[in-house]
Amino acid sequence: MKPNFKLPVAQAFLGGVATDLHDSVAKLPTHVRTGDDSLAVLLEAGERIELKTGDWLFRMGDAGRRLFVVQSGSLDVVVQGVDGHEQTLGRFGPGGVFGEVSFLLGGGRSASVRAHERSVIVGIDWVEGDAAANGRLGLALAAVLAQRLRSNNALLLDLLSDDDGSAAPSSQGVVTTSPTLTADRPQVVVRDAIHLSDLRDIIDGRVLAVRVPGWYTSRQCQQLCRKLLRHPGFSRYSIAPDVGVQRVGYSYFETRGDAERLEHYFDQAVPTIAEIRRVCAPLLIPIDRLRLELDEHWPGGAGLASLGGRKMFVGTSRLFEDGHSLPPHQDILARETTDEVATRLLAQMTVNVYLRTPRGGGELEIWDLIPNEAQVAELYTGDYDFLDSTKLPPSAALIKPGVGELVLMLSNRVHAVRASSGGPRVSMSCFVGSTGEPERLVLWN
C-alpha cells in the first residue's frame, strides 16, 4: 500500500505542526481530542529538522522511538532489493506521518528514509514513563492510521473491481452552462477527436472549452489507474500542503524562483517522465498520445518545452482527495518566469484527461473571464494564487467529465475544481503553449 492516501481528518491532525500546533490540535475531530493541552505540549516538544536533497533521516535497522511528520518537501522510503539495487517503496509529502511502528513498538527501522527534496519535518519522541501522554498521542495517531487504512482499502477494492463497463466507450459526462452564456459568447463544444480547427478556436477565444468524450475507453482508464496509483511519488504539492491534491511529478510553479527547487525540477524532469512510462507500460500514457496527435495536427508540430536550454517535465498525474476543491485561479507561465519561452507565448492551454471520476462532485468550473493584472490584484485571496469566488461573476460552464474524457481550454481563463465525494478523482494533465502556427507547440507542467 502507498503510505500517502490521506483523508481530511488525517490532515487536520498533521497540518501546520511546526507553525501552529495549538490550531492543529483544535482541528482534531471531537472523538479524537482527548486532552488538547497535553497533546499540544507533546507536539510542541517535537524537534524541527531541516534536510537537504539526498540527506538520510535514518537507515534501515537504526534504533529509535521517534515519530515524524512532514511539514514541507517530501521524503522517499527506500529499501535494498534482493538484487542489491535500491528500491523506492513510497514517498511522504506535506502532512505525511511515518515511523509509527518503531515509535509504538520500539526496535529497528524497517526501511530507510531519505529527503527527495529540501524538506522540513518534525520529530516527536516517545516520552518514557508518561503513560497518559503517550496514550493520548497514540489515540490520535491511531485515528490517523485508521483513516489512512480505510482510504487505501476503499481505493483498492474499487480498482480491483471488474465492473467497469468492459471496453465500452466511456461515459459522456455532463455540461451545464450559465443562462448568461448567450449564443454570441464562447461555448463548450463536443468533438470526436482533436482537430486543428478546434485548437485555433481555443487560441483565438472563440470557444470556451473543447470536450472529447471517450478519448480513452473506460477499460484503458481502469488499467492505467491500477498501474499509475502504484507510483511511489504521489504526494501533496510542496508549496500547498493544505490543498488536498496529490500529484506525481514536480510542477514548475512549485519552484517559485528558488534556485534549489529549480535545480530539483530540471534534474527530475526527464527521469520522472520515463518512470511514469515504466510504471504504466505497456499502456501508452495519455500525455504521450497527446504529444503525437498535436504533432500530427499542428502545422509546426509539437514537442517537450525547454527553459534555459533544459527540458521541462510534462505529464502530471493528479489525485483529488474527497472533500477538497481547487478554488478559482489562472495558470500563466509568464508570471513564473521571464524566460523567452514564456514571454513569447501567444496562448497557453491546459489539457486534462480524466482517468477516474468521483461519484459526486468534482466538476470543472469555467468563467468567461480573463482578468488583467490589476483585476487579479483585486480578486486575489492571499492564499497561493487563488481568486475570491465571491467577487467573480457567475461562471459560464460547469463540466462534469466522464471517464476517459479529454478537456482542452485556455489556462488563463479563470477556472476551478469543485469538491468531490466517492473518489478519488484521478487525471493526467499538462500545459500546451503556442507562439504561432509556423512554430511548434510546446508542452510542460
Side-chain angles (χ1 to χ4, degrees):
M1 292 284 185
K2 285 202 310 304
N4 44 14
F5 286 109
K6 301 178 286 293
L7 294 182
V9 62
Q11 291 299 328
F13 168 59
L14 297 170
V17 171
T19 56
D20 194 349
L21 301 175
H22 284 286
D23 181 63
S24 297
V25 174
K27 294 178 181 177
L28 274 168
T30 303
H31 68 279
V32 173
R33 278 187 269 139
T34 56
D36 293 0
D37 293 338
S38 297
L39 183 55
V41 167
L42 285 175
L43 291 174
E44 288 171 335
E47 177 189 3
R48 187 175 187 270
I49 304 169
E50 296 185 8
L51 300 172
K52 299 188 298 296
T53 302
D55 284 353
W56 292 97
L57 177 63
F58 56 74
R59 301 270 190 168
M60 184 174 178
D62 287 353
R65 299 198 70 176
R66 174 172 276 195
L67 179 72
F68 297 97
V69 177
V70 183
Q71 180 191 352
S72 64
S74 59
L75 297 94
D76 290 332
V77 182
V78 178
V79 298
Q80 188 175 41
V82 293
D83 59 358
H85 291 91
E86 184 180 284
Q87 295 182 359
T88 301
L89 299 182
R91 182 170 299 155
F92 292 99
V97 57
F98 60 95
E100 64 271 15
V101 175
S102 294
F103 176 77
L104 294 172
L105 303 179
R109 301 291 183 181
S110 58
S112 303
V113 172
R114 179 180 60 204
H116 179 71
E117 58 186 301
R118 186 175 62 187
S119 304
V120 176
I121 61 175
V122 173
I124 305 166
D125 291 311
W126 182 269
V127 184
E128 292 294 343
D130 193 340
N134 289 334
R136 284 191 291 272
L137 180 58
L139 180 59
L141 175 61
V144 172
L145 299 180
Q147 290 286 3
R148 191 167 74 188
L149 181 61
R150 176 185 291 173
S151 179
N152 281 345
N153 287 344
L155 178 62
L156 180 63
L157 289 172
D158 184 76
L159 291 176
L160 293 179
S161 170
D162 289 326
D163 184 21
D164 67 343
S166 186
S170 305
S171 59
Q172 295 298 300
V174 178
V175 59
T176 305
T177 56
S178 168
T180 62
L181 191 64
T182 56
D184 61 328
R185 302 301 301 166
Q187 304 289 315
V188 176
V189 299
V190 179
R191 299 289 186 257
D192 60 351
I194 298 173
H195 300 288
L196 176 59
S197 59
D198 293 321
L199 294 173
R200 289 169 172 161
D201 285 343
I202 285 285
I203 291 171
D204 293 338
R206 291 189 292 267
V207 166
L208 194 69
V210 174
R211 300 174 54 225
V212 186
W215 196 66
Y216 263 49
T217 67
S218 57
R219 172 66 76 179
Q220 289 171 323
C221 290
Q222 188 190 47
Q223 291 174 337
L224 199 58
C225 271
R226 285 179 178 175
K227 292 175 174 288
L228 188 60
L229 294 179
R230 295 191 184 105
H231 195 289
F234 272 103
S235 61
R236 290 186 173 189
Y237 286 106
S238 58
I239 62 170
D242 56 334
V243 177
V245 181
Q246 298 186 34
R247 87 285 188 251
V248 169
Y250 200 72
S251 295
Y252 187 80
F253 83 88
E254 295 182 74
T255 64
R256 290 297 199 240
D258 179 86
E260 186 174 339
R261 288 181 179 272
L262 282 166
E263 192 64 24
H264 176 71
Y265 171 83
F266 288 113
D267 283 348
Q268 62 83 48
V270 174
T272 302
I273 296 172
E275 175 66 10
I276 292 173
R277 286 200 193 105
R278 185 193 66 79
V279 169
C280 295
L283 298 172
L284 178 67
I285 62 174
I287 300 305
D288 280 347
R289 176 179 166 182
L290 177 68
R291 276 207 269 179
L292 291 171
E293 293 191 10
L294 291 177
D295 187 56
E296 292 163 1
H297 292 299
W298 190 253
L304 188 60
S306 295
L307 205 62
R310 304 180 73 177
K311 296 290 187 183
M312 299 184 76
F313 169 69
V314 70
T316 296
S317 303
R318 297 197 299 179
L319 180 153
F320 279 72
E321 300 171 18
D322 277 2
H324 287 270
S325 61
L326 204 57
H329 64 283
Q330 297 172 288
D331 297 299
I332 301 176
L333 183 62
R335 289 179 181 167
E336 300 159 7
T337 178
T338 57
D339 190 277
E340 184 183 14
V341 171
T343 58
R344 290 184 62 241
L345 287 178
L346 300 177
Q348 179 176 328
M349 297 169 277
T350 181
V351 180
N352 278 274
V353 180
Y354 298 89
L355 305 177
R356 188 185 188 281
T357 56
R359 293 181 179 87
E363 298 92 347
L364 171 64
E365 191 167 11
I366 308 173
W367 281 260
D368 185 18
L369 175 67
I370 302 177
N372 57 36
E373 295 302 315
Q375 292 170 320
V376 168
E378 293 179 0
L379 294 169
Y380 182 50
T381 63
D383 291 329
Y384 309 117
D385 296 320
F386 298 145
L387 307 179
D388 188 344
S389 60
T390 65
K391 298 179 181 179
L392 292 172
S395 57
L398 193 63
I399 300 173
K400 186 170 178 59
V403 172
E405 182 170 324
L406 178 148
V407 177
L408 171 69
M409 59 172 284
L410 283 177
S411 64
N412 61 346
R413 287 192 187 278
V414 176
H415 56 286
V417 178
R418 292 192 174 182
S420 59
S421 61
R425 175 188 190 269
V426 182
S427 64
M428 291 192 78
S429 63
C430 73
F431 297 116
V432 180
S434 170
T435 53
E437 287 196 21
E439 300 185 42
R440 71 173 192 161
L441 297 173
V442 291
L443 290 77
W444 78 95
N445 280 105

